[in-house]
Amino acid sequence: MRQLRAFLATCESENMLKEEQNLVDVSTESIGGLGIDFGYPGDARKAKDRSKMKLWKKYFQENGRNLTMVRLPTFGKLVRVGLPNALRGELWEACSGSIYLRMTNQGVYEDVIKTYEGQTSLSTEEIEKDLHRSLPEYAAYQTPEGIDRLRRVLTAYAWRNPELGYCQAMNIVTSALLIYMSEEQAFWTLNVLVDRMCPGYYSTSMYGALLDQIIFEQLVEKTMPILWSHLKKTDIQLSVACLPWFLSLYVNSMPLLFAFRVLDCLFMEGPRILFQIGLAILKLNGDDLLKAKDDGAFLGILKHFFTSLDIPIHPNSRNERARKLTYREFAIVTDDLVTDLRRKNQLKVVAGIESYTKRSAIRHVKDTAGFDKEEVSTIYDKFFGALYYAKQNNEKTTDLNSMDVETFRLLLDSLTNWSKLKPHDESANESYMRLLGLQFTQRLYDYMKPNVHPGITFQDAVRGLGEIMHGDLMSQIEFFFKLYDQDKDDKLVNADILCMAKEIYWVLCQMQQDEFIAWDAICNLIIRSFEQSDILRGIHPDEISNAEQLAELISYGRHDGIQNIQKRMERVESYLIINNDKDEEEKEGEQRKPVIEICLPSFRMAVLTNECLEMFFDNGFMSSFRLVKLASEQQKSLGRELFENLFNEGKKLATSTMTAPTSTYRRSSNASLSTSPLPSPSTSTSNVSSPAQPATTASAPTSAVSSPQLPQDQSSVMSLPASNKEGEAKKDMNQEVDSLLSELGHQDA
């Protein structure tokens, strides 16, 4: 109850009814957004703001308010009349469901602001660029107060949802919300808009807006075939004019007074309103648009229409039909239809976005490292495929443009047949081999990753793979020389040769080479490295002694068998590494270990003395990389971003602790809203059934009243028995609403 008391103090509806219903202590000051201090768009007197407030006050008294409000048919009419300025913010969040988020997450917004105060990111930098381009025509956004409020809300959302961060057009929508809402109200309403009502609109690729634009064009073709035929004939791109409508929710296209009316209907009925209003605009201007011959003329007609929206229609004008035409004429556009069209077109849109992104990334590769376009394309698919699936398997945020070592291993798995490691529940011998594999892939990762990047970028991967796959025998030997030159001093020493011997042994075994042949190869590498080191120092090699040492190493490995790989490697280590922990007397008492210090030419001579090593460096390692894209990988790559968005939505839904209110209408003062706190944009809100009668079908025309709504003949189920006096009062209220609708007809959405 303490939490509820604090929450209700932020609701203007409680402030309105304080005198009549002194249930809680609430502030007598107005509650809302920037409009309180900087004014609201439009003329409140012409908009009948006082009359609207009286009607809403009466509605709250009879049907509850904020968290307990019941939506009856009158609710929809009241919204369509136009919301009063003082209540618009609260009713937006009540219709969208964000009021429940705000109630159940009290203090979260303030905590986010405090936690990330003073911190910067790529999103905060982008926000700073757009702050002064957000509704510059509204006075508050020419002052530090308005800019600071907008900055805090956008920054809080970017930190709370780092996967999305900030995208263009968020600033336009948020600046509109802040005129009527407090920062906390706007923050949670933005969450609902971005995550649920307009999914994919505010992503890096804007795939949601592009998808809905295709749907809008299909609806234009279906409802206005003559206009559509004209657009095709003259090659006018409908998206040039209409895509900004969807991205800014009409806020940037219409005068603010009318844009807020669109938001009224959007929050009440869902995203199908965006399509219905767009179709109504085109139909209103249909005759003029048929005369347009190019994009410029098309845009000019629509621009003139928007600038003349606030001019009342003269009864004798040729546009008299516009007085009666509203978005409700396109009731054929239901949520079910939008959902079906989205499902049919989503792969087409995502494929187009992915194709464009891919072409752009490939075009910006400065060094193709000898690969042709098809090969670079395959590397792109494997690189970003590894990034995508690594992100899905990892709860922490993964950079979408560079990969860490774990993701790099996924990339190697798709390119080679030797990089896949066995699971952890394995024998001691397999565990040791696994350790060698992890060391080798880490070494490759460190070699390909430049110091300037936190991980391997696409360009780094192309360049590194090119060095591996496009070299001859000599360049491959040089590649491994640089790979193990840990001190970067152009020479290999004992420790370098030891690491190389162990890891090449692992690679050879992974490539199905006989383990005894692989052992012989690394033993030869060690002994020949000693020989070449002696030659560089001007010492004639003792061939007999070296032959005996080689035979001893080989014999040790062959007689111990595969079960003792770790012991074999320990034998090699004891042979190569001088124990620096012993004092000088102990060192003098034992035979000194020889020292390896060879350069690249000497290393080449050491390698070429063994046939297995020569074959490995000549083509074995190089040919183990395959740039072949399987058909299954092509299918997986399609629609990753769309699936990612849906996957994230599912996780959010799964972790939600809120309980959806009942769908049955109850006439009690503490009843909850009849809709879910977080209404899905794909769920039809016109098909709500009562316990006594089946739901209306999806194909039924959308009602002009609030969504959801029951047919009028179900009123007996919806309400308790009422007296004749009460019925007359409701009838009077309906008449008042209808009267307002008639007076404000030219402003009706």
Side-chain angles (χ1 to χ4, degrees):
M1 287 303 297
R2 283 194 297 270
Q3 288 181 340
L4 182 61
R5 184 185 299 273
F7 176 80
L8 292 178
T10 66
C11 296
E12 178 62 23
S13 58
E14 293 293 330
N15 201 19
M16 280 180 61
L17 302 182
K18 182 182 178 183
E19 295 180 1
E20 289 79 3
Q21 301 180 19
N22 192 17
L23 300 179
V24 294
D25 294 329
V26 295
S27 172
T28 56
E29 298 180 0
S30 296
I31 301 166
L34 292 166
I36 295 174
D37 297 322
F38 294 92
Y40 299 101
D43 187 331
R45 182 175 298 178
K46 290 182 179 179
K48 306 288 184 180
D49 211 60
R50 184 174 297 180
S51 299
K52 294 174 185 177
M53 286 290 285
K54 289 181 180 178
L55 289 173
W56 277 106
K57 186 175 182 179
K58 187 175 181 181
Y59 188 88
F60 291 154
Q61 290 171 335
E62 296 177 356
N63 304 296
R65 58 202 176 276
N66 47 71
L67 297 173
T68 66
M69 182 170 55
V70 179
R71 299 191 203 180
L72 299 180
T74 310
F75 180 89
K77 283 188 176 183
L78 283 169
V79 172
R80 280 178 35 230
V81 167
L83 300 177
N85 293 324
L87 290 174
R88 181 166 261 148
E90 182 180 325
L91 289 169
W92 278 355
E93 64 172 349
C95 289
S96 66
S98 65
I99 193 171
Y100 297 97
L101 282 175
R102 187 164 68 89
M103 168 61 189
T104 55
N105 293 276
Q106 293 183 58
V108 171
Y109 173 73
E110 290 79 6
D111 290 343
V112 173
I113 293 294
K114 188 179 298 183
T115 301
Y116 295 99
E117 185 177 5
Q119 298 188 36
T120 59
S121 66
L122 181 60
S123 292
T124 59
E125 293 174 3
E126 293 298 318
I127 288 170
E128 290 299 322
K129 295 177 184 177
D130 288 345
L131 285 176
H132 294 279
R133 291 180 277 185
S134 308
L135 295 190
E137 67 270 30
Y138 186 67
Y141 296 114
Q142 303 300 319
T143 66
E145 181 182 351
I147 294 296
D148 288 343
R149 289 196 195 185
L150 180 59
R151 177 188 291 112
R152 285 192 291 269
V153 174
L154 293 174
T155 302
Y157 182 84
W159 284 119
R160 191 170 187 270
N161 188 359
E163 294 178 349
L164 178 59
Y166 169 78
C167 294
Q168 287 187 343
M170 274 188 187
N171 60 313
I172 303 298
V173 174
T174 307
S175 60
L177 298 178
L178 283 171
I179 295 176
Y180 296 97
M181 291 179 159
S182 66
E183 291 180 37
E184 187 180 24
Q185 286 177 309
F187 172 76
W188 291 113
T189 305
L190 180 64
N191 274 268
V192 172
L193 270 173
V194 174
D195 299 341
R196 296 189 172 278
M197 298 188 75
C198 304
Y201 275 41
Y202 307 102
S203 65
T204 52
S205 62
M206 301 185 303
Y207 77 84
L210 295 175
L211 174 59
D212 281 357
Q213 187 59 37
I214 289 181
I215 296 172
F216 183 66
E217 291 178 354
Q218 293 176 350
L219 292 173
V220 172
E221 182 180 10
K222 182 177 182 179
T223 58
M224 289 170 272
I226 297 176
L227 177 60
W228 179 254
S229 177
H230 174 72
L231 296 177
K232 294 286 99 180
K233 182 179 179 180
T234 54
D235 196 27
I236 294 176
Q237 301 299 315
L238 189 61
S239 60
V240 173
C242 302
L243 183 58
W245 298 353
F246 286 78
L247 277 175
S248 69
L249 309 182
Y250 293 92
V251 172
N252 251 12
S253 302
M254 297 180 176
L256 288 182
L257 180 64
F258 294 89
F260 295 143
R261 298 295 309 284
V262 173
L263 291 179
D264 294 345
C265 299
L266 172 65
F267 286 124
M268 180 181 70
E269 299 194 34
R272 69 172 182 266
I273 291 298
L274 300 177
F275 298 97
Q276 293 174 338
I277 290 177
L279 293 172
I281 291 170
L282 294 182
K283 186 168 184 178
L284 279 171
N285 296 276
D287 293 339
D288 294 331
L289 293 176
L290 287 173
K291 300 174 184 177
K293 301 299 182 183
D294 53 41
D295 291 335
F298 191 86
L299 288 170
I301 293 168
L302 294 174
K303 183 178 180 180
H304 178 266
F305 167 75
F306 287 130
T307 57
S308 61
L309 269 177
D310 55 352
I311 302 175
I313 301 172
H314 193 276
N316 298 324
S317 68
R318 63 186 179 90
N319 285 328
E320 169 62 16
R321 66 190 178 91
R323 179 185 292 273
K324 299 180 180 179
L325 176 64
T326 69
Y327 70 89
R328 293 181 300 282
E329 180 169 317
F330 295 94
I332 185 177
V333 184
T334 62
D335 287 327
D336 290 335
L337 177 62
V338 171
T339 300
D340 185 53
L341 291 174
R342 281 175 173 171
R343 184 167 53 248
K344 290 179 179 178
N345 291 282
Q346 62 189 15
L347 292 182
K348 182 194 305 181
V349 174
V350 175
I353 293 171
E354 201 166 280
S355 176
Y356 172 79
T357 306
K358 180 176 178 179
R359 290 196 307 271
S360 179
I362 293 174
R363 187 167 57 249
H364 286 87
V365 171
K366 297 179 180 179
D367 181 10
T368 59
F371 292 111
D372 58 31
K373 289 184 178 181
E374 187 64 30
E375 290 171 329
V376 175
S377 173
T378 303
I379 296 174
Y380 175 93
D381 292 333
K382 292 181 179 294
F383 180 88
F384 286 98
L387 274 175
Y388 173 77
Y389 289 108
K391 183 177 180 180
Q392 295 305 317
N393 296 328
N394 196 345
E395 290 298 326
K396 66 180 182 180
T397 303
T398 304
D399 190 343
L400 296 179
N401 296 311
S402 63
M403 54 176 54
D404 56 18
V405 65
E406 295 298 330
T407 312
F408 178 69
R409 291 191 179 103
L410 291 178
L411 175 63
L412 288 181
D413 288 350
S414 68
L415 291 169
T416 72
N417 57 1
W418 50 260
S419 67
K420 293 183 179 179
L421 304 174
K422 292 186 177 181
H424 292 281
D425 52 340
E426 52 199 17
S427 66
N429 190 60
E430 291 172 339
S431 179
Y432 182 76
M433 292 290 279
R434 177 186 175 83
L435 178 62
L436 294 180
L438 291 173
Q439 291 174 351
F440 182 67
T441 53
Q442 179 71 54
R443 193 178 305 278
L444 282 176
Y445 176 81
D446 293 337
Y447 180 82
M448 290 188 184
K449 181 180 77 67
N451 294 329
V452 295
H453 296 144
I456 290 180
T457 65
F458 177 52
Q459 173 66 85
D460 299 332
V462 171
R463 190 181 292 115
L465 291 173
E467 191 172 357
I468 294 173
M469 301 178 66
H470 293 153
D472 55 13
L473 173 60
M474 294 297 107
S475 62
Q476 286 291 297
I477 295 176
E478 182 180 1
F479 171 77
F480 271 82
F481 181 89
K482 292 186 292 184
L483 189 64
Y484 287 91
D485 181 11
Q486 300 181 54
D487 296 330
K488 307 302 178 185
D489 54 0
D490 296 326
K491 62 182 180 182
L492 299 180
V493 296
N494 293 56
D496 300 330
I497 294 296
L498 174 63
C499 293
M500 183 185 294
K502 289 180 178 181
E503 292 167 17
I504 286 181
Y505 176 81
W506 174 80
V507 176
L508 288 171
C509 290
Q510 289 288 100
M511 294 170 62
Q512 307 302 317
Q513 180 64 267
D514 181 83
E515 60 103 9
F516 292 120
I517 295 177
W519 177 254
D520 292 351
I522 66 168
C523 290
N524 269 278
L525 176 64
I526 294 168
I527 299 302
R528 302 312 169 197
S529 296
F530 281 129
E531 287 183 354
Q532 292 300 317
S533 185
D534 287 341
I535 293 174
L536 282 177
R537 289 194 295 267
I539 302 173
H540 186 72
D542 187 343
E543 296 182 2
I544 296 176
S545 175
N546 288 338
E548 290 175 352
Q549 291 173 348
L550 177 60
E552 180 185 350
L553 280 176
I554 292 175
S555 175
Y556 184 86
R558 284 185 175 274
H559 288 105
D560 285 344
I562 194 169
Q563 289 80 8
N564 295 299
I565 293 176
Q566 186 170 357
K567 287 186 177 180
R568 277 187 268 170
M569 293 304 172
E570 290 172 354
R571 176 72 179 87
V572 170
E573 186 172 349
S574 67
Y575 185 76
L576 277 171
I577 302 301
I578 300 174
N579 190 349
N580 294 320
D581 295 333
K582 295 183 179 181
D583 57 32
E584 293 299 325
E585 293 183 1
E586 287 182 288
K587 290 181 181 178
E588 291 177 0
E590 67 177 21
Q591 184 179 3
R592 281 187 178 277
K593 302 290 191 303
V595 177
I596 296 177
E597 189 173 293
I598 57 176
C599 58
L600 177 58
S602 300
F603 176 65
R604 284 179 176 145
M605 294 298 295
V607 167
L608 295 176
T609 57
N610 181 268
E611 182 180 1
C612 178
L613 286 177
E614 182 178 352
M615 292 177 62
F616 173 77
F617 286 108
D618 189 17
N619 56 33
F621 187 69
M622 180 196 317
S623 61
S624 68
F625 287 78
R626 300 284 184 87
L627 289 181
V628 178
K629 186 172 183 182
L630 304 176
S632 59
E633 290 179 334
Q634 293 176 349
Q635 294 173 355
K636 287 179 181 178
S637 67
L638 188 62
R640 286 185 190 129
E641 186 175 359
L642 180 64
F643 175 77
E644 178 181 348
N645 182 274
L646 297 176
F647 181 79
N648 290 333
E649 283 302 308
K651 289 199 295 185
K652 290 177 184 177
L653 205 60
T655 56
S656 175
T657 58
M658 292 177 294
T659 304
T662 177
S663 60
T664 305
Y665 287 78
R666 293 185 176 90
R667 291 296 310 280
S668 60
S669 61
N670 61 346
S672 62
L673 277 172
S674 59
T675 56
S676 172
L678 295 175
S680 170
S682 62
T683 305
S684 177
T685 56
S686 60
N687 303 332
V688 181
S689 60
S690 73
Q693 197 165 342
T696 56
T697 61
S699 60
T702 303
S703 174
V705 296
S706 173
S707 171
Q709 174 196 351
L710 292 178
Q712 297 292 338
D713 59 358
Q714 293 183 10
S715 59
S716 60
V717 180
M718 291 163 46
S719 60
L720 296 173
S723 65
N724 294 335
K725 185 176 181 181
E726 183 181 354
E728 291 175 1
K730 291 182 179 179
K731 184 177 180 181
D732 291 342
M733 185 174 180
N734 278 325
Q735 289 176 347
E736 290 183 57
V737 176
D738 291 338
S739 176
L740 266 181
L741 272 175
S742 178
E743 290 182 48
L744 301 172
H746 71 283
Q747 293 182 354
D748 191 359

